[in-house]
Amino acid sequence: MDKRIRIRLFASLREALGTAELAHTTAAATLGALRDELIARGGAWAEALGRHRPVRVALNQAMAAEETALPDGAEVAFFPPVTGG
């Protein structure tokens, strides 16, 4: 069954993909499957979210592992690792 979710993108991901937020319908069961689905779009999506990139993910404003189940109505955020000094 397809789920309707909201995807939020931060920092360099937002800049690379030209959007901060989008509504998305997916059949992905986990956060990792969602990332793979977005990578499969190709182009800038494959480059920005590719497995060669260290991308962090949050589910409903809490850090989550890619194995985490993706519920209907979720807010999923992708962002690069934060560096500090």
Side-chain angles (χ1 to χ4, degrees), residues 36-77:
D36 289 337
E37 180 181 291
L38 295 172
I39 290 168
R41 288 181 164 192
W45 289 92
E47 179 59 28
L49 295 174
R51 292 293 175 186
H52 62 287
R53 296 221 179 252
V55 174
R56 311 248 353 236
V57 63
L59 176 65
N60 296 327
Q61 301 183 2
M63 294 306 301
E66 289 201 5
E67 299 78 28
T68 303
L70 179 61
D72 187 37
E75 176 188 88
V76 178

